[in-house]
Amino acid sequence: MDSFIKNNKLFIQGVNQLDKEENPTGKIRCMLKNYLELDNVNFLFGTGSSIIIGARSIQSIPQAIEETIKVDNLLYDEFITIIKTLQNESTDIKRQSWKDNDGNDICGEIDYSLEKLLNYLHAIDFIQGHSANAITYKYIGPLIKIIKKELFKLCDLNSQPINELLVSDIAKKHLNENRYYYHESFTKKVLQRSLNLKRANIFTTNYDLAFDIAFDKLGVAYINGFSGFHKRCFKPETFEYDIFFPGSTTQGKVQRIEKVLRYFKLHGSLTWVSRDPSANCVYGIEELPIELIRKNEDFESLMIYPTTVKKTYTLDYPYSELFRQFSASIAQPQSVLICFGYSFSDEHINDLIYQALTIPSFTLIIVDFKGCNGSTEIKRLMELNDPRIIIMQGPQLGDFPFFVEQLMPDLIEIDSNSKIAETMQKLYPQKD
């Protein structure tokens, strides 16, 4: 316990609350329970929630993407020229560096955000298409296509190895048996909230399908802005829908379905593609099975356009609607936003969170591995000494399996679905 208290911190009003705490996890679990029982509960997940199952941080440019571009010399030359422009370098490009066990300097990935690079490429592509006097690049289109293709592979978690160096032996066992074990466990705990409360909102900046798959495996209905069955199209009005059991008569009392969540992928998804608008798909955005995208390799039309910079640009659908929903959700009275593994590197999201802080009843809870030591924005928030800003950081507190199993409270003590499944298996045993 002394080691836990030494390595992990809970900042409230800028002061660490765990220094003399005899039961730190119990204290945090009790605190989270109180917030989860509020009417307006929101979660925001970043890469930290998926990194244990193979997700990659794209705060730099992954080596696999650079190596793929390097196969074509002309393409790579233009890529390097663009990187130098973005880094304001005239000679060598900046790379992340570290020392190996012998003290030798190792140069790694290009030290520039992949999302910012993609954003820049899309901006240049747009400008070149609308101005004859624009800076001329020859390979913007092919670069975007290659980056999206490789990014799809990196975010397609079923094809990535579990990051065993980051998890305990127990977590390793669970993940090897079920890659989405902790995403499912988290979902079960959130669904324990009373049906009298509003649906919980889960926002994520991740492109991957970790939560999508977990929801499907649990039979959870999630409202994500798309409607349809064989052809799912983006219809923003569906965000305002809910799901109920019908009453016994047309005027009878209806009852809310238990397993329902509202789900928002703020930066897009591996399964969203752009199409020509039609009468049935007004916004020209479809959601496809990921197997179909893998098969057809339709990477160029993927809706994973980043929105981390260029705030002066007008955001198009679906992002304008997704950010509007985020803003409206956290601006409700008595709201809490729990951020896990989000590094506060997205200016749009940060601005909306800061606006919510103007509401006296809003609470911001940040859970991050590095916390104040890894993000200047998180450090700045801590230094505000605002009692409504709670920061949890450290190797245990910022670990997704630990967060789910040790910190997320059980609002009900038993998993009723598991009990039902166990009962049915006993009633109807499988025959050999």
Side-chain angles (χ1 to χ4, degrees), residues 324-388:
R324 189 187 73 80
Q325 289 287 337
F326 179 69
S327 177
S329 297
I330 63 176
Q332 297 294 318
Q334 301 296 324
S335 292
V336 62
L337 174 64
I338 302 173
C339 302
F340 186 95
Y342 170 64
S343 62
F344 281 75
S345 60
D346 187 307
E347 294 181 17
H348 297 285
I349 293 175
N350 295 352
D351 283 350
L352 296 175
I353 294 173
Y354 300 160
Q355 289 171 20
L357 283 169
T358 64
I359 302 169
S361 61
F362 174 73
T363 301
L364 172 63
I365 300 176
I366 301 169
V367 188
D368 190 77
F369 186 94
K370 294 182 179 179
C372 304
N373 300 324
S375 168
T376 54
E377 282 300 303
I378 295 178
K379 183 179 180 182
R380 188 162 75 99
L381 286 167
M382 184 198 71
E383 292 173 347
L384 294 175
N385 296 331
D386 189 326
R388 299 171 303 148

Side-chain angles (χ1 to χ4, degrees), residues 122 148-149 151-153 269-275 293 298-305 319:
H122 280 297
K148 282 189 173 184
K149 179 179 181 180
L151 185 56
F152 178 91
K153 292 179 181 178
S269 176
L270 296 185
T271 56
W272 298 0
V273 295
S274 59
R275 294 287 186 254
I293 296 175
D298 188 15
F299 304 117
E300 195 169 3
S301 60
L302 284 180
M303 300 290 290
I304 54 174
Y305 302 119
Y319 307 106

Side-chain angles (χ1 to χ4, degrees), residues 248-272:
S248 56
T249 66
T250 54
Q251 290 82 28
K253 182 180 179 181
V254 296
Q255 187 175 3
R256 296 177 84 194
I257 296 286
E258 292 179 350
K259 297 165 68 172
V260 179
L261 291 168
R262 301 176 78 231
Y263 184 45
F264 307 82
K265 303 189 79 170
L266 296 173
H267 283 182
S269 176
L270 296 185
T271 56
W272 298 0

Side-chain angles (χ1 to χ4, degrees), residues 199 204 332:
R199 304 292 191 187
T204 180
Q332 297 294 318

Side-chain angles (χ1 to χ4, degrees), residues 151-183:
L151 185 56
F152 178 91
K153 292 179 181 178
L154 291 173
C155 295
D156 186 2
L157 298 182
N158 280 351
S159 64
Q160 297 298 324
I162 291 168
N163 199 334
E164 296 188 349
L165 295 176
L166 295 181
V167 296
S168 66
D169 290 339
I170 295 176
K172 192 185 305 180
K173 179 178 181 295
H174 286 313
L175 293 172
N176 283 323
E177 292 174 354
N178 176 9
R179 180 180 292 266
Y180 304 102
Y181 174 86
Y182 290 104
H183 289 80

Side-chain angles (χ1 to χ4, degrees), residues 42-322:
N42 308 277
F43 291 90
L44 172 61
F45 288 98
T47 308
S49 63
S50 296
I51 198 165
I52 57 170
I53 52 175
R56 289 286 310 279
S57 171
I58 50 177
Q59 294 305 306
S60 59
I61 298 173
Q63 195 78 37
I65 291 178
E66 183 181 358
E67 292 299 323
T68 304
I69 297 172
K70 193 180 287 186
V71 172
D72 187 318
N73 291 333
L74 294 176
L75 203 65
Y76 188 65
D77 288 343
E78 184 161 293
F79 170 74
I80 293 299
T81 299
I82 291 171
I83 294 297
K84 287 180 179 179
T85 300
L86 293 172
Q87 290 186 340
N88 295 318
E89 292 290 331
S90 57
T91 54
D92 295 333
I93 60 175
K94 296 176 183 176
R95 293 181 179 272
Q96 293 182 339
S97 62
W98 64 92
K99 293 185 181 295
D100 63 17
N101 295 333
D102 298 323
N104 300 313
D105 289 329
I106 303 295
C107 288
E109 297 177 340
I110 294 174
D111 191 12
Y112 196 82
S113 165
L114 179 64
E115 285 194 333
K116 289 183 179 180
L117 170 63
L118 257 180
N119 207 39
Y120 179 82
L121 293 177
H122 280 297
I124 293 298
D125 189 45
F126 176 83
I127 292 170
Q128 288 187 167
H130 290 78
S131 173
N133 298 321
I135 299 173
T136 303
Y137 288 111
K138 295 182 179 180
Y139 304 108
I140 294 293
L143 277 174
I144 292 173
K145 185 174 182 179
I146 287 176
I147 291 173
K148 282 189 173 184
K149 179 179 181 180
E150 294 305 312
L151 185 56
F152 178 91
K153 292 179 181 178
L154 291 173
C155 295
D156 186 2
L157 298 182
N158 280 351
S159 64
Q160 297 298 324
I162 291 168
N163 199 334
E164 296 188 349
L165 295 176
L166 295 181
V167 296
S168 66
D169 290 339
I170 295 176
K172 192 185 305 180
K173 179 178 181 295
H174 286 313
L175 293 172
N176 283 323
E177 292 174 354
N178 176 9
R179 180 180 292 266
Y180 304 102
Y181 174 86
Y182 290 104
H183 289 80
E184 291 178 30
S185 297
F186 167 81
T187 303
K188 290 177 183 178
K189 290 191 174 184
V190 171
L191 288 172
Q192 292 174 358
R193 298 175 69 244
S194 171
L195 283 176
N196 295 326
L197 302 173
K198 292 181 180 178
R199 304 292 191 187
N201 299 309
I202 297 180
F203 299 90
T204 180
T205 58
N206 299 338
Y207 306 130
D208 63 60
L209 307 184
F211 279 112
D212 310 57
I213 294 171
F215 296 158
D216 285 342
K217 291 179 71 174
L218 293 174
V220 174
Y222 54 99
I223 299 166
N224 70 343
F226 288 80
S227 69
F229 186 74
H230 292 294
K231 185 174 182 178
R232 290 181 55 78
C233 298
F234 182 73
K235 295 184 178 180
E237 62 269 23
T238 62
F239 283 126
E240 311 306 325
Y241 293 174
D242 207 333
I243 305 175
F244 297 84
F245 286 112
S248 56
T249 66
T250 54
Q251 290 82 28
K253 182 180 179 181
V254 296
Q255 187 175 3
R256 296 177 84 194
I257 296 286
E258 292 179 350
K259 297 165 68 172
V260 179
L261 291 168
R262 301 176 78 231
Y263 184 45
F264 307 82
K265 303 189 79 170
L266 296 173
H267 283 182
S269 176
L270 296 185
T271 56
W272 298 0
V273 295
S274 59
R275 294 287 186 254
D276 291 331
S278 63
N280 294 326
C281 191
V282 176
Y283 300 102
I285 305 164
E286 288 186 31
E287 183 179 40
L288 301 178
I290 192 168
E291 294 83 1
L292 193 61
I293 296 175
R294 289 193 196 112
K295 179 181 178 181
N296 296 335
E297 296 193 351
D298 188 15
F299 304 117
E300 195 169 3
S301 60
L302 284 180
M303 300 290 290
I304 54 174
Y305 302 119
T307 53
T308 57
V309 293
K310 309 297 183 187
K311 291 189 293 182
T312 53
Y313 287 129
T314 301
L315 297 176
D316 203 354
Y317 270 82
Y319 307 106
S320 58
E321 178 62 23
L322 292 167

